[in-house]
Amino acid sequence: MLSRKEEKLDDICIRCGTCCGAYDGDPCMHLKKDKDERYYCEIYNSRFGMRKTVNGNTFRCVSVKEILNDSWFRNSSCAYKELKIS
C-alpha cells in the first residue's frame, strides 16, 4: 500500500511512459497501454528490482525520484521533470 506522499506523487504522473522506455525502442516488458493510450506498469506495486525489457535486456527498476537528474529519451514529456520534483 502506498503512503499518502507516494499517492500524491503518483497523481503528478501523466503516464507518458518515458521513464520506462516507451520511446527508446526497448521498453520494460511490464509497460502496457490502457484503452486511453496512457501507459501503466502491470506490476506496479512490486516493480522495483531487476526487470527485463521487451528485448530481454536486464535493468534495475527504481523510483523515478532516483533518476530525475538523469536523462532519457523524450524525458521532456515527464511531469516530474517539468515540476522539478525531488
Side-chain angles (χ1 to χ4, degrees), residues 29-42:
M29 66 185 295
H30 298 290
L31 185 64
K32 306 295 179 193
K33 275 188 180 179
D34 65 17
K35 62 182 169 116
D36 297 322
E37 298 291 305
R38 291 174 44 167
Y39 288 96
Y40 69 96
C41 176
E42 69 180 350

Side-chain angles (χ1 to χ4, degrees), residues 55-70:
N55 292 332
N57 295 309
T58 58
F59 69 97
R60 188 172 70 90
C61 182
V62 297
S63 167
V64 72
K65 292 188 304 182
E66 290 185 44
I67 60 171
L68 276 178
N69 292 324
D70 297 347

Side-chain angles (χ1 to χ4, degrees), residues 8-79:
K8 284 185 176 194
L9 286 174
D10 267 1
D11 288 344
I12 293 168
C13 182
I14 59 172
R15 311 294 186 248
C16 67
T18 59
C19 63
C20 299
Y23 303 101
D24 71 5
D26 194 18
C28 176
M29 66 185 295
H30 298 290
L31 185 64
K32 306 295 179 193
K33 275 188 180 179
D34 65 17
K35 62 182 169 116
D36 297 322
E37 298 291 305
R38 291 174 44 167
Y39 288 96
Y40 69 96
C41 176
E42 69 180 350
I43 61 164
Y44 188 80
N45 290 328
S46 62
R47 69 195 180 279
F48 299 133
M50 296 308 294
R51 300 287 172 225
K52 287 192 176 186
T53 66
V54 295
N55 292 332
N57 295 309
T58 58
F59 69 97
R60 188 172 70 90
C61 182
V62 297
S63 167
V64 72
K65 292 188 304 182
E66 290 185 44
I67 60 171
L68 276 178
N69 292 324
D70 297 347
S71 183
W72 57 83
F73 189 69
R74 287 184 63 176
N75 72 174
S76 61
S77 302
C78 178

